[in-house]
Amino acid sequence: MDNSQSAFNAGQAQGQATVKKDQMVDKASNAAQSAKDSMSEVRNIAGQAGQTVMNKAQGAANAVKDATGMKK
């Protein structure tokens, strides 16, 4: 194999490696964005659940105040 063929093969291998690297970076970026989106959704759900618990606790406290005559 002459030098020009070796150089061609090396350049071709380098180009293929670059394409593969770019594909892997894209996949990692997409996975990271998906994880970020999922965490945002979890935070929203957790916030809603926390608000629901607080509302129920307030309702229970008001019910106790009503039952004991402490509510004015």
Side-chain angles (χ1 to χ4, degrees), residues 6-7 10 12 14 20 22 32 34-35 48-49 55 60 68:
S6 294
Q12 190 175 32
Q14 182 180 8
K20 186 69 172 174
D22 290 345
S34 179
Q48 292 170 358
N55 290 342
T68 60

Side-chain angles (χ1 to χ4, degrees), residues 2-23:
D2 65 9
N3 283 343
S4 62
Q5 185 65 39
S6 294
F8 174 79
N9 290 344
Q12 190 175 32
Q14 182 180 8
Q16 290 172 351
T18 299
V19 168
K20 186 69 172 174
K21 175 199 63 106
D22 290 345
Q23 290 171 342

Side-chain angles (χ1 to χ4, degrees), residues 36-61:
K36 182 179 175 183
D37 293 345
S38 293
M39 286 306 298
S40 179
E41 187 174 339
V42 166
R43 276 194 296 273
N44 288 339
I45 291 169
Q48 292 170 358
Q51 187 64 46
T52 298
V53 169
M54 287 175 45
N55 290 342
K56 289 184 184 247
Q58 184 63 50

Side-chain angles (χ1 to χ4, degrees), residues 58 60-72:
Q58 184 63 50
N62 288 339
V64 169
K65 287 178 183 177
D66 284 343
T68 60
M70 295 176 64
K71 192 171 187 179
K72 295 181 182 183

